[in-house]
Structures are given as structure tokens and as C-alpha cells.
């Protein structure tokens, strides 16, 4: 490469770099979590959590704490202007990891609030969304003993329950995909307080952008079985009043099959689950007992899955995406016609289980 070409390349690079706005980290307030609370039909309260870097001392092992800024308004621009007036530095969304909506606001509808973030190029598509049963302002202002920065605690709580327990995968991308897709409805993690600790209590179920109900963590496990494959599930089997067993590292997946009876669609959910016994409350465990557990696991999974599907049909909400399963197998699928079919759709549930002996504690 000649010196003339090298010189031209450097000049072009300098000119192009001048077109990109630069941001100095010390001049920014990086928002990690935002919380939205319902005030009335026209007014929303927004609270943001920002990490504050402090010096360490003998009483603390961290140099980060969270501080909050709160403002109310009728529009996003109105709220942002009020927040800017309270911040000594420019507020920035590029590190936003989670957004929390209080239950009352979620019941009114949250699409416009989510859409604002989806249009912001600085916000990642894996940002977490969730519903909280109380005031998000109080939550973000709280100081939980486990983690000094609430935003990090919230994100790690959701991620841990997604990867290692019974919470299905979700983020802003998943929510918007389900919101816009025919034949399925959206869901979000549902959080609340339990003995002064933040806890994932289950899932918030949406019809369009409005929350219509919640389901428990046990139901969330069944929900996860029906929509994605996973291998870290936990499920308790009850035999008698004083006898139970816990399955760990449960592998589960579901495949769907579509048939027609008298011209009407019939969907079959074929559930396969296998795992190891981790805990047993009885006195003796042998092969006969394990076979008994397998039969009871099959029976309980089938009954509880059928009850969950019926619950959603009664509410005319389809977070399991049964409509999508039929749509992908039906030429000329019609959304309006499906809305009439779904509440009475026949769904057969077939369960096949395998239990292995291991890790038992009596």
C-alpha cells in the first residue's frame, strides 16, 4: 500500500469518526432497571434505578449501591423531561437490563410502554420484562440484604429461575413476537414479596397487552413443559397424605399432532418426561415403588396439564400457542374462525414418563 493510499485512508477514517456522537461514561447516568406504576387513566409513575459507585470500607464488600429517580407524567417525553431535571448527568438506556410493571398497570395494558423501548436502538432485545404485584417504586427503593443493587438482584433472580427451575424463557423480543403472532398470547414472570424477600411467584398471562390472570410456579412448570424442551425441572409427586417424592433434573419436551374428527380439529400433546428421584419421605424404596411413582407421575402430569389447558380455554387466552400449532399445520388458517374454535378445542394429553433411582434422602 502506498503512502498516498495510507494517508487517504486515515483522513477518511477521521472524517467518518466525526459523524458519530461520542459519550463519556463519567458524564452519563446508566439506567439498569425501570419501574412503571399506575396512578390513574392518564398518569403513569416511572422510577429508574441507577448504580452509584462508592468507596469500600470495613462494613461492606462492594462499592456499588443503587439510587433511584422518580417522575410522573402523561407521556414518555413528559416523564423524561422531569427525570432529566432531577439528574446531574445525562440518563442513558444502553445498560437497561430489566423493566418492571406493577400489576394494576399490567391489567390496563402495557404495549405502548414496551414499544417505546423496542424502538430505542440502545436497548437490547434480551432485556427482561416482568410484572410485580406491588409498587415498583417501593421495590426499586428497597435494600435487599442479599444484593445491594436491586437491578442486579432482579436480573439474576429471573435468569436463575429460567435456567435452573421452572420459569420459561422470556424477554422483550419473546413478548413482542408473541404479541404480534396470530395463534398465541404473551406471558411474563410474575414477582412478589415473601417474608421480605423478592420471589418469582409464577407467570402473568396476557390477552393482547392486558394481564388477565396469573399462574403458580407449579403451573409454570407444566406451562414450560408444553412450550419448550428443558432438563432442569423439579416436580413433587404426592402419593398418600404423608408420602411424597421429589424429582430433580427432570427432562421434558412436548410434541404436537393435529387430527380431525367430524371436520373439527383435535390437537394431541405428546409429553415425554424423565428424571431422577431426589427425595422420598417413605421408609423403603425399591423397584416396585419406583414403578408406582412412574404411574403416579404420569397420572398427575396428565391431570394437571389438562386442567391448565382448560383454564386457559375458559379465559379465552392462548399463551401455550395452541392456535399457532394448528396454524402451522393448516392451509388457509383463519384467525377469526379460530377465535370461535379455540374455547371448545379438543386437546388430548398423552404422557410418557421414566424415573431413575438416585440421590435419595429419606
Amino acid at each position: 500500500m502506498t503512502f498516498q493510499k495510507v494517508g487517504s485512508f486515515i483522513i477518511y477514517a477521521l472524517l467518518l469518526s466525526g459523524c458519530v456522537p461520542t459519550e463519556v461514561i463519567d458524564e452519563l447516568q446508566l439506567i439498569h432497571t425501570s419501574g412503571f406504576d399506575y396512578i390513574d387513566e392518564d398518569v403513569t409513575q416511572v422510577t429508574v434505578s441507577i448504580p452509584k459507585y462508592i468507596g469500600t470500607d470495613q462494613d461492606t464488600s462492594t462499592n456499588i449501591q443503587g439510587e433511584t429517580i422518580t417522575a410522573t407524567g402523561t407521556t414518555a417525553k413528559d416523564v423524561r423531561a422531569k427525570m432529566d431535571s432531577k439528574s446531574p448527568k445525562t440518563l442513558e438506556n444502553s445498560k437497561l437490563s430489566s423493566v418492571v410493571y406493577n400489576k394494576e398497570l399490567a391489567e390496563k395494558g402495557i404495549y405502548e410502554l414496551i414499544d417505546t423501548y423496542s424502538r430505542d436502538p440502545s436497548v437490547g432485545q434480551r432485556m427482561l420484562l416482568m410484572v410485580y404485584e406491588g409498587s415498583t417504586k417501593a421495590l426499586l427503593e428497597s435494600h435487599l440484604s442479599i444484593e445491594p443493587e436491586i437491578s442486579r438482584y432482579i436480573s439474576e433472580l429471573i435468569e436463575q429461575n429460567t435456567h435452573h427451575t421452572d420459569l420459561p424463557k422470556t424477554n422483550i423480543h419473546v413478548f413482542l413476537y408473541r404479541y404480534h403472532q396470530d395463534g398465541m398470547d404473551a406471558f411474563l414472570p410474575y414477582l412478589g414479596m415473601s417474608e421480605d424477600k423478592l420471589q418469582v411467584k409464577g407467570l402473568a398471562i396476557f390477552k393482547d397487552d392486558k394481564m388477565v390472570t396469573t399462574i403458580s410456579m407449579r403451573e409454570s412448570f407444566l406451562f414450560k413443559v408444553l412450550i419448550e424442551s428443558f432438563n432442569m425441572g423439579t416436580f413433587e409427586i404426592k402419593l398418600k397424605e404423608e408420602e411424597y417424592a421429589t424429582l430433580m433434573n427432570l427432562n421434558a419436551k412436548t410434541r404436537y399432532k393435529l387430527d380431525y374428527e367430524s371436520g373439527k380439529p383435535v390437537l394431541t400433546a405428546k409429553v415425554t418426561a424423565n428424571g431422577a428421584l431426589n427425595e422420598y419421605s417413605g421408609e423403603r424404596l425399591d423397584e416396585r415403588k419406583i414403578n408406582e411413582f412412574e404411574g403416579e407421575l404420569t397420572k398427575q402430569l396428565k391431570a394437571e396439564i389438562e386442567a391448565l389447558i382448560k383454564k386457559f380455554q375458559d379465559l379465552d387466552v392462548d399463551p401455550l400457542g395452541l392456535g399457532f400449532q394448528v396454524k402451522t399445520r393448516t392451509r388457509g388458517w383463519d384467525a377469526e374462525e379460530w377465535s370461535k374454535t379455540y374455547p371448545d378445542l379438543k386437546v388430548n394429553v398423552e404422557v410418557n414418563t421414566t424415573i431413575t433411582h438416585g440421590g435419595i434422602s429419606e
Side-chain angles (χ1 to χ4, degrees), residues 37-46 71-75 78-79 82 105:
D37 290 306
Y38 177 83
I39 302 300
D40 60 38
E41 293 294 337
D42 300 316
V43 179
T44 302
Q45 178 177 267
V46 184
T72 59
T74 57
T75 66
D78 183 25
V79 171
K82 290 179 179 179
L105 182 62

Side-chain angles (χ1 to χ4, degrees), residues 266-311:
V266 177
L267 199 62
T268 300
K270 297 185 176 183
V271 180
T272 302
N274 61 81
L277 277 171
N278 177 262
E279 184 176 357
Y280 173 52
S281 64
E283 296 181 357
R284 182 179 179 181
L285 185 67
D286 52 23
E287 193 66 30
R288 183 189 63 79
K289 203 65 176 179
I290 291 177
N291 290 335
E292 184 180 345
F293 283 147
E294 281 188 359
E296 194 60 32
L297 175 61
T298 299
K299 178 181 176 182
Q300 290 185 25
L301 279 177
K302 177 178 172 62
E304 292 184 35
I305 287 173
E306 289 175 340
L308 184 63
I309 293 172
K310 183 64 167 57
K311 178 178 181 177

Side-chain angles (χ1 to χ4, degrees), residues 246-264:
T246 302
L247 290 167
M248 297 290 291
N249 298 326
L250 193 68
N251 292 271
K253 64 180 180 180
T254 300
R255 294 183 178 179
Y256 291 91
K257 179 184 177 184
L258 178 65
D259 296 298
Y260 284 87
E261 294 181 2
S262 302
K264 296 182 179 181

Side-chain angles (χ1 to χ4, degrees), residues 128-249:
L128 301 172
L129 306 176
M130 61 210 75
V131 177
Y132 178 63
E133 65 180 6
S135 163
T136 68
K137 179 178 184 294
L139 173 64
L140 296 185
E141 289 178 345
S142 65
H143 298 284
L144 301 175
S145 59
I146 297 177
E147 180 63 57
E149 189 194 358
I150 185 65
S151 58
R152 181 177 176 181
Y153 181 74
I154 290 173
S155 297
E156 290 182 350
L157 179 68
I158 298 299
E159 290 170 359
Q160 188 276 136
N161 277 272
T162 299
H163 296 308
H164 301 292
T165 58
D166 305 328
L167 198 65
K169 297 174 184 176
T170 181
N171 51 43
I172 186 173
H173 173 73
V174 172
F175 182 92
L176 290 174
Y177 172 79
R178 286 178 154 268
Y179 175 82
H180 291 293
Q181 182 65 255
D182 287 334
M184 62 174 62
D185 289 307
F187 60 88
L188 290 176
Y190 184 66
L191 278 61
M193 297 299 293
S194 177
E195 298 180 353
D196 298 324
K197 301 294 182 183
L198 186 62
Q199 177 184 13
V200 179
K201 292 194 169 183
L203 292 175
I205 306 300
F206 287 76
K207 179 70 174 181
D208 296 325
D209 71 332
K210 296 180 175 62
M211 190 186 89
V212 296
T213 192
T214 61
I215 61 174
S216 67
M217 281 301 288
R218 186 174 178 91
E219 291 174 311
S220 178
F221 166 81
L222 304 170
F223 187 98
K224 190 171 183 175
V225 167
L226 293 169
I227 68 168
E228 64 183 62
S229 300
F230 64 98
N231 57 11
M232 295 292 287
T234 302
F235 193 75
E236 183 180 278
I237 311 169
K238 296 180 181 179
L239 295 178
K240 304 174 184 177
E241 287 188 12
E242 301 297 329
E243 189 177 8
Y244 67 89
T246 302
L247 290 167
M248 297 290 291
N249 298 326

